[in-house]
């Protein structure tokens, strides 16, 4: 596994573990029933906020969405959270794709901060097969893949 993938994996694993610990403390402090009643009282705004939060983690490249997975599951239940998070991922990826198309490579390099990594991703995404392989291998770097996809033909 290349070093840049190992670093990304370790960072995401640490953030995920911290998120699980934080979620545990929140549920222990307020109780799961109280949190779920609060979410139900929010009406349509609860799911909308989760979707918008997840989309923003893709649009604003340095943000990590790892906390949203266990949080969404605890607040909405597994299946509803999965649906909301997929909608957030999809909408964020779509926005990023068009941002990348409109503003070009120089803007994307400023957003991502690592032009070498972007060049490697673009090289791997040169074909349809390469795109799918990159999408699977870089599952934890959805923002990079979406920004890079906007730069491809």
């Amino acid at each position: 596994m290349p070093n840049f993938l190992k670093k990304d994996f370790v960072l995401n694993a640490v953030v995920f573990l911290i998120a699980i610990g934080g979620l545990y403390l929140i549920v222990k402090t307020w109780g799961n029933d109280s949190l779920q009643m609060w979410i139900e009282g929010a009406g349509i705004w609860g799911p909308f906020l989760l979707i918008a939060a997840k989309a923003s983690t893709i649009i604003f490249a340095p943000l990590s969405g790892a906390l949203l997975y266990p949080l969404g599951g605890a607040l909405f239940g597994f299946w509803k959270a999965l649906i909301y998070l997929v909608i957030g991922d999809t909408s964020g990826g779509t926005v990023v794709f068009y941002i990348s198309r409109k503003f070009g490579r120089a803007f994307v390099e400023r957003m991502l901060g690592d032009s070498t990594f972007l060049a490697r991703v673009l090289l791997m995404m040169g074909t349809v097969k390469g795109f799918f392989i990159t999408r699977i291998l870089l599952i934890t770097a959805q923002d990079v893949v979406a920004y890079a996809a906007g730069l491809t033909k």
Side-chain angles (χ1 to χ4, degrees), residues 4 17 27 50 73 93 111 129 150-151:
F4 65 91
L17 291 174
V27 171
L50 182 64
M111 285 295 293
K129 179 181 174 184
L151 298 175

Coordinates of all heavy atoms in Angstrom, one line a residue, residues 4 17 27 50 73 93 111 129 150-151:
F4 N 0.9 7.4 1.0 CA -0.2 8.3 1.1 C -1.5 7.7 1.5 O -2.3 8.2 2.2 CB -0.3 9.2 -0.2 CG -0.7 8.5 -1.4 CD1 -2.1 8.4 -1.7 CD2 0.2 8.0 -2.3 CE1 -2.5 7.7 -2.9 CE2 -0.2 7.3 -3.4 CZ -1.5 7.2 -3.7
L17 N -12.2 6.4 15.7 CA -12.2 6.0 17.1 C -12.5 7.1 18.1 O -13.2 6.9 19.0 CB -10.8 5.3 17.4 CG -10.5 4.0 16.7 CD1 -9.1 3.6 17.0 CD2 -11.5 3.0 17.2
V27 N -24.1 9.9 24.4 CA -25.2 9.1 24.7 C -25.3 8.8 26.2 O -26.4 8.8 26.8 CB -25.2 7.8 23.8 CG1 -26.2 6.8 24.3 CG2 -25.4 8.1 22.4
L50 N -28.1 16.6 8.7 CA -27.1 15.5 8.5 C -26.7 15.4 7.1 O -25.5 15.3 6.8 CB -27.7 14.2 8.9 CG -26.8 13.0 8.8 CD1 -25.6 13.1 9.8 CD2 -27.5 11.7 9.1
G73 N -26.0 7.0 12.7 CA -26.6 5.8 13.1 C -27.2 5.8 14.5 O -28.3 5.2 14.7
G93 N -20.5 15.3 -3.7 CA -19.6 14.9 -4.8 C -20.1 15.6 -6.1 O -19.2 16.0 -6.9
M111 N -7.5 24.0 -3.1 CA -8.4 23.4 -2.2 C -7.8 22.2 -1.5 O -8.0 22.0 -0.3 CB -9.7 23.0 -2.9 CG -10.6 24.1 -3.2 SD -11.3 24.9 -1.8 CE -12.3 23.6 -1.1
K129 N -12.0 2.2 -16.2 CA -11.5 1.1 -15.3 C -10.7 1.8 -14.2 O -10.9 1.5 -13.0 CB -10.7 0.1 -16.0 CG -10.2 -1.0 -15.1 CD -9.4 -2.0 -15.9 CE -8.8 -3.1 -15.0 NZ -7.9 -4.0 -15.7
G150 N -13.8 15.9 -11.8 CA -14.2 17.1 -12.5 C -13.1 17.6 -13.5 O -13.4 18.4 -14.4
L151 N -11.9 17.2 -13.3 CA -10.8 17.6 -14.1 C -10.5 16.6 -15.3 O -9.7 16.9 -16.2 CB -9.5 17.7 -13.3 CG -9.5 18.8 -12.2 CD1 -8.2 18.7 -11.4 CD2 -9.7 20.2 -12.8

